Amino acid sequence: MDLNTVLQILDSAVRLMTPLLLACLAGLYSERAGVFDIGLEGKMLMAAFSAATVAALTGNVWLGLLAGLLGALMLSAVHGIASITFRGNQLISGVAINFLASGLTVLLGQKIFGLGGRTPSLTPGAELEAQVNPFRTWLSGVTGPDGAAALTATPRFGEITLPLAETLRGVPVIGPLYAEVISGHTILVYVAFGMVPLTWWVLYRTRFGLRLRAVGENPASVDTAGVSVTRLRFAAVAIAGLLCGLAGAYLATGLSAGFVKEMTAGRGFIALAALIFAKWRPWGALGATFLFGLLEAVANRYPNLDLGIVTVPSMFMNALPYILTVIILAGFVGRAIPPRAGGEPYVKER
């Protein structure tokens, strides 16, 4: 395997791990506050659909990103009300959100675009222009031609070339690594990686993070100190919704060029497995999601892996990330200790 092949696999791994990392951090905030959230999949799916739909209708990826955040936040609000306010079963609420998002995205997609549940491709062309023109006409009537031109930029996120990427390309090993793997990603990739140290700082170096972790371990002590358990848990669920919104928007407008049915493909559940593997720690989440992304990148690069003695079939290679999920859940659930108050609704003692 030459250096170029390794760099291509690493570059692909970074792209593929980004939605997993964002979803894993979303689960980290929620579960650290004592609210189990297996609805990550549904929130990512709703965010992907919302982002792709608005980007297709307006031609503006930033409006699409905003719509993706709002879509995920709405489902987070549903989960918060069901599990925190009404003290419902958190697992059932998460399952319901997954089913709701799965059906609603296809139904709305067919109703809006009539394309079998998918959105138009978010690439310049006649199909996208036909969707964007009605919005341009309406916006021109409201803000004038200049306003319409300002808001109709690009339907998906473009790649960013970091400073000195081309200059350092000739430096052995480090140069190609910087130019090919670190540089050349969309802004949401860098946001995802930036969220790791930010999450560590918030959880372990701020009063809010201390209280959030305490709520997941012993909510009664937090309540005794005069801090609202309900408010903290809703804040954690809202942060989880925003991160799922970023993950879903990246899937539809960064990694892909539009929304298709069930495009999350189990990434929400893989993120939960990575969270257990990481033992609910942000830096561990970075390593765990990179491992999943690397396996998927290898499977994409080598559909049929020839090991000399035997050839690994493409079906097994495609199933590698999911096989690892099962292995992690079977091998680490017993040793990885979740927050003690996780999954339990808090009832204030009188």
Side-chain angles (χ1 to χ4, degrees):
M1 186 183 298
D2 59 9
L3 179 60
N4 287 333
T5 302
V6 173
L7 292 175
Q8 289 171 5
I9 292 175
L10 290 176
D11 178 68
S12 179
V14 169
R15 297 173 191 272
L16 293 170
M17 72 173 283
T18 296
L20 296 177
L21 178 59
L22 288 167
C24 188
L25 292 176
L28 176 64
Y29 276 101
S30 183
E31 296 195 9
R32 276 289 192 172
V35 181
F36 286 167
D37 192 356
I38 63 172
L40 299 176
E41 178 88 359
K43 285 183 279 192
M44 289 171 64
L45 193 63
M46 181 59 73
F49 171 77
S50 302
T53 297
V54 173
L57 293 175
T58 65
N60 189 281
V61 69
W62 294 104
L63 292 178
L65 174 61
L66 179 61
L69 295 175
L70 292 176
L73 274 176
M74 286 192 296
L75 291 186
S76 287
V78 172
H79 183 56
I81 292 171
S83 61
I84 300 173
T85 304
F86 294 108
R87 305 188 188 98
N89 187 291
Q90 296 173 7
L91 300 181
I92 293 176
S93 174
V95 170
I97 285 174
N98 289 336
F99 280 117
L100 175 65
S102 179
L104 195 59
T105 51
V106 175
L107 178 65
L108 292 176
Q110 177 63 24
K111 184 69 175 178
I112 297 171
F113 300 107
L115 299 173
R118 71 174 181 88
T119 62
S121 178
L122 299 180
T123 53
E127 183 184 20
L128 185 62
E129 286 296 321
Q131 296 293 337
V132 172
N133 281 333
F135 175 77
R136 286 176 178 165
T137 303
W138 171 82
L139 194 60
S140 295
V142 175
T143 63
D146 293 339
L151 284 177
T152 52
T154 177
R156 65 189 301 259
F157 287 104
E159 297 179 349
I160 299 174
T161 301
L162 296 181
L164 302 178
E166 295 303 321
T167 305
L168 297 175
R169 187 181 292 272
V171 179
V173 183
I174 297 177
L177 186 67
Y178 178 72
E180 299 291 339
V181 179
I182 299 176
S183 179
H185 298 286
T186 67
I187 189 172
L188 293 184
V189 173
Y190 300 112
V191 169
F193 279 86
M195 286 302 302
V196 176
L198 179 61
T199 297
W200 175 85
W201 180 79
V202 168
L203 289 179
Y204 296 100
R205 291 294 183 270
T206 67
R207 181 181 299 177
F208 171 77
L210 175 63
R211 290 174 173 176
L212 192 73
R213 288 183 289 123
V215 163
E217 297 291 338
N218 192 345
S221 64
V222 176
D223 191 22
T224 303
V227 180
S228 173
V229 173
T230 299
R231 189 180 301 117
L232 277 172
R233 287 189 167 179
F234 264 110
V237 169
I239 294 172
L242 290 173
L243 290 171
C244 283
L246 289 173
Y250 172 75
L251 276 176
T253 61
L255 187 62
S256 303
F259 175 85
V260 295
K261 179 181 177 181
E262 304 292 353
M263 74 178 304
T264 48
R267 285 182 172 89
F269 301 109
I270 293 178
L272 286 175
L275 181 60
I276 295 171
F277 191 30
K279 298 183 178 180
W280 292 269
R281 292 182 172 87
W283 290 108
L286 178 64
T289 53
F290 177 75
L291 176 61
F292 280 103
L294 183 62
L295 281 177
E296 188 174 355
V298 170
N300 292 339
R301 179 73 181 184
Y302 299 103
N304 295 287
L305 186 59
D306 187 3
L307 299 178
I309 301 175
V310 64
T311 300
V312 181
S314 60
M315 293 174 289
F316 181 83
M317 293 299 296
N318 291 331
L320 263 181
Y322 307 99
I323 294 172
L324 181 62
T325 300
V326 175
I327 293 173
I328 286 175
L329 290 177
F332 285 86
V333 166
R335 287 179 287 174
I337 302 173
R340 285 185 297 175
E344 300 176 3
Y346 176 66
V347 181
K348 185 180 179 69
E349 296 182 1
R350 297 186 181 277

PDB file of all heavy atoms in Angstrom, residues 226-242:
ATOM      1  N   GLY A 226     -30.063  23.918  45.121  1.00  0.00           N
ATOM      2  CA  GLY A 226     -30.864  25.003  44.569  1.00  0.00           C
ATOM      3  C   GLY A 226     -30.757  25.171  43.078  1.00  0.00           C
ATOM      4  O   GLY A 226     -31.144  26.209  42.531  1.00  0.00           O
ATOM      5  N   VAL A 227     -30.234  24.159  42.382  1.00  0.00           N
ATOM      6  CA  VAL A 227     -30.105  24.203  40.928  1.00  0.00           C
ATOM      7  C   VAL A 227     -31.204  23.352  40.309  1.00  0.00           C
ATOM      8  O   VAL A 227     -31.473  22.241  40.770  1.00  0.00           O
ATOM      9  CB  VAL A 227     -28.720  23.694  40.478  1.00  0.00           C
ATOM     10  CG1 VAL A 227     -28.595  23.737  38.965  1.00  0.00           C
ATOM     11  CG2 VAL A 227     -27.620  24.525  41.132  1.00  0.00           C
ATOM     12  N   SER A 228     -31.830  23.876  39.263  1.00  0.00           N
ATOM     13  CA  SER A 228     -32.937  23.178  38.627  1.00  0.00           C
ATOM     14  C   SER A 228     -32.436  21.991  37.802  1.00  0.00           C
ATOM     15  O   SER A 228     -31.706  22.168  36.826  1.00  0.00           O
ATOM     16  CB  SER A 228     -33.729  24.135  37.731  1.00  0.00           C
ATOM     17  OG  SER A 228     -34.705  23.430  36.994  1.00  0.00           O
ATOM     18  N   VAL A 229     -32.851  20.800  38.194  1.00  0.00           N
ATOM     19  CA  VAL A 229     -32.496  19.592  37.448  1.00  0.00           C
ATOM     20  C   VAL A 229     -33.169  19.606  36.074  1.00  0.00           C
ATOM     21  O   VAL A 229     -32.553  19.261  35.057  1.00  0.00           O
ATOM     22  CB  VAL A 229     -32.911  18.337  38.240  1.00  0.00           C
ATOM     23  CG1 VAL A 229     -32.696  17.070  37.400  1.00  0.00           C
ATOM     24  CG2 VAL A 229     -32.127  18.246  39.542  1.00  0.00           C
ATOM     25  N   THR A 230     -34.408  20.023  36.069  1.00  0.00           N
ATOM     26  CA  THR A 230     -35.167  20.072  34.804  1.00  0.00           C
ATOM     27  C   THR A 230     -34.515  20.997  33.800  1.00  0.00           C
ATOM     28  O   THR A 230     -34.363  20.660  32.618  1.00  0.00           O
ATOM     29  CB  THR A 230     -36.612  20.519  35.068  1.00  0.00           C
ATOM     30  OG1 THR A 230     -37.247  19.585  35.942  1.00  0.00           O
ATOM     31  CG2 THR A 230     -37.399  20.617  33.770  1.00  0.00           C
ATOM     32  N   ARG A 231     -34.091  22.171  34.246  1.00  0.00           N
ATOM     33  CA  ARG A 231     -33.480  23.142  33.344  1.00  0.00           C
ATOM     34  C   ARG A 231     -32.158  22.614  32.785  1.00  0.00           C
ATOM     35  O   ARG A 231     -31.880  22.766  31.587  1.00  0.00           O
ATOM     36  CB  ARG A 231     -33.252  24.461  34.068  1.00  0.00           C
ATOM     37  CG  ARG A 231     -32.814  25.609  33.140  1.00  0.00           C
ATOM     38  CD  ARG A 231     -32.587  26.900  33.884  1.00  0.00           C
ATOM     39  NE  ARG A 231     -33.778  27.327  34.586  1.00  0.00           N
ATOM     40  CZ  ARG A 231     -33.886  27.450  35.916  1.00  0.00           C
ATOM     41  NH1 ARG A 231     -32.827  27.152  36.679  1.00  0.00           N
ATOM     42  NH2 ARG A 231     -34.987  27.852  36.475  1.00  0.00           N
ATOM     43  N   LEU A 232     -31.373  22.002  33.624  1.00  0.00           N
ATOM     44  CA  LEU A 232     -30.089  21.466  33.170  1.00  0.00           C
ATOM     45  C   LEU A 232     -30.280  20.335  32.161  1.00  0.00           C
ATOM     46  O   LEU A 232     -29.577  20.256  31.156  1.00  0.00           O
ATOM     47  CB  LEU A 232     -29.282  20.963  34.363  1.00  0.00           C
ATOM     48  CG  LEU A 232     -28.481  22.011  35.148  1.00  0.00           C
ATOM     49  CD1 LEU A 232     -27.902  21.397  36.407  1.00  0.00           C
ATOM     50  CD2 LEU A 232     -27.373  22.598  34.284  1.00  0.00           C
ATOM     51  N   ARG A 233     -31.239  19.466  32.431  1.00  0.00           N
ATOM     52  CA  ARG A 233     -31.471  18.359  31.500  1.00  0.00           C
ATOM     53  C   ARG A 233     -32.028  18.853  30.171  1.00  0.00           C
ATOM     54  O   ARG A 233     -31.665  18.328  29.114  1.00  0.00           O
ATOM     55  CB  ARG A 233     -32.401  17.332  32.152  1.00  0.00           C
ATOM     56  CG  ARG A 233     -31.702  16.521  33.233  1.00  0.00           C
ATOM     57  CD  ARG A 233     -32.527  15.359  33.740  1.00  0.00           C
ATOM     58  NE  ARG A 233     -31.698  14.451  34.543  1.00  0.00           N
ATOM     59  CZ  ARG A 233     -32.143  13.355  35.127  1.00  0.00           C
ATOM     60  NH1 ARG A 233     -33.425  13.000  35.010  1.00  0.00           N
ATOM     61  NH2 ARG A 233     -31.329  12.580  35.817  1.00  0.00           N
ATOM     62  N   PHE A 234     -32.893  19.849  30.204  1.00  0.00           N
ATOM     63  CA  PHE A 234     -33.392  20.414  28.953  1.00  0.00           C
ATOM     64  C   PHE A 234     -32.263  21.089  28.176  1.00  0.00           C
ATOM     65  O   PHE A 234     -32.222  21.028  26.947  1.00  0.00           O
ATOM     66  CB  PHE A 234     -34.524  21.408  29.213  1.00  0.00           C
ATOM     67  CG  PHE A 234     -35.896  20.817  29.085  1.00  0.00           C
ATOM     68  CD1 PHE A 234     -36.694  20.633  30.195  1.00  0.00           C
ATOM     69  CD2 PHE A 234     -36.390  20.429  27.845  1.00  0.00           C
ATOM     70  CE1 PHE A 234     -37.963  20.079  30.091  1.00  0.00           C
ATOM     71  CE2 PHE A 234     -37.654  19.879  27.725  1.00  0.00           C
ATOM     72  CZ  PHE A 234     -38.441  19.693  28.839  1.00  0.00           C
ATOM     73  N   ALA A 235     -31.345  21.746  28.899  1.00  0.00           N
ATOM     74  CA  ALA A 235     -30.205  22.379  28.229  1.00  0.00           C
ATOM     75  C   ALA A 235     -29.344  21.320  27.540  1.00  0.00           C
ATOM     76  O   ALA A 235     -28.898  21.505  26.399  1.00  0.00           O
ATOM     77  CB  ALA A 235     -29.375  23.163  29.240  1.00  0.00           C
ATOM     78  N   ALA A 236     -29.113  20.191  28.221  1.00  0.00           N
ATOM     79  CA  ALA A 236     -28.314  19.117  27.639  1.00  0.00           C
ATOM     80  C   ALA A 236     -28.992  18.524  26.411  1.00  0.00           C
ATOM     81  O   ALA A 236     -28.347  18.258  25.394  1.00  0.00           O
ATOM     82  CB  ALA A 236     -28.070  18.028  28.679  1.00  0.00           C
ATOM     83  N   VAL A 237     -30.302  18.332  26.495  1.00  0.00           N
ATOM     84  CA  VAL A 237     -31.058  17.779  25.367  1.00  0.00           C
ATOM     85  C   VAL A 237     -31.040  18.755  24.189  1.00  0.00           C
ATOM     86  O   VAL A 237     -30.951  18.344  23.021  1.00  0.00           O
ATOM     87  CB  VAL A 237     -32.503  17.450  25.805  1.00  0.00           C
ATOM     88  CG1 VAL A 237     -33.380  17.140  24.596  1.00  0.00           C
ATOM     89  CG2 VAL A 237     -32.499  16.255  26.752  1.00  0.00           C
ATOM     90  N   ALA A 238     -31.114  20.060  24.482  1.00  0.00           N
ATOM     91  CA  ALA A 238     -31.068  21.065  23.416  1.00  0.00           C
ATOM     92  C   ALA A 238     -29.697  21.080  22.731  1.00  0.00           C
ATOM     93  O   ALA A 238     -29.605  21.170  21.498  1.00  0.00           O
ATOM     94  CB  ALA A 238     -31.386  22.445  23.986  1.00  0.00           C
ATOM     95  N   ILE A 239     -28.624  20.984  23.518  1.00  0.00           N
ATOM     96  CA  ILE A 239     -27.278  20.923  22.938  1.00  0.00           C
ATOM     97  C   ILE A 239     -27.143  19.678  22.063  1.00  0.00           C
ATOM     98  O   ILE A 239     -26.570  19.724  20.963  1.00  0.00           O
ATOM     99  CB  ILE A 239     -26.213  20.929  24.047  1.00  0.00           C
ATOM    100  CG1 ILE A 239     -26.220  22.266  24.784  1.00  0.00           C
ATOM    101  CG2 ILE A 239     -24.827  20.670  23.468  1.00  0.00           C
ATOM    102  CD1 ILE A 239     -25.337  22.307  26.016  1.00  0.00           C
ATOM    103  N   ALA A 240     -27.693  18.567  22.536  1.00  0.00           N
ATOM    104  CA  ALA A 240     -27.667  17.336  21.742  1.00  0.00           C
ATOM    105  C   ALA A 240     -28.410  17.529  20.426  1.00  0.00           C
ATOM    106  O   ALA A 240     -27.973  17.050  19.371  1.00  0.00           O
ATOM    107  CB  ALA A 240     -28.282  16.182  22.533  1.00  0.00           C
ATOM    108  N   GLY A 241     -29.528  18.253  20.470  1.00  0.00           N
ATOM    109  CA  GLY A 241     -30.276  18.528  19.250  1.00  0.00           C
ATOM    110  C   GLY A 241     -29.488  19.365  18.257  1.00  0.00           C
ATOM    111  O   GLY A 241     -29.500  19.091  17.052  1.00  0.00           O
ATOM    112  N   LEU A 242     -28.785  20.374  18.751  1.00  0.00           N
ATOM    113  CA  LEU A 242     -27.978  21.214  17.868  1.00  0.00           C
ATOM    114  C   LEU A 242     -26.856  20.411  17.209  1.00  0.00           C
ATOM    115  O   LEU A 242     -26.589  20.562  16.014  1.00  0.00           O
ATOM    116  CB  LEU A 242     -27.389  22.386  18.660  1.00  0.00           C
ATOM    117  CG  LEU A 242     -28.374  23.463  19.122  1.00  0.00           C
ATOM    118  CD1 LEU A 242     -27.678  24.472  20.026  1.00  0.00           C
ATOM    119  CD2 LEU A 242     -29.007  24.176  17.923  1.00  0.00           C
TER     120      LEU A 242
END
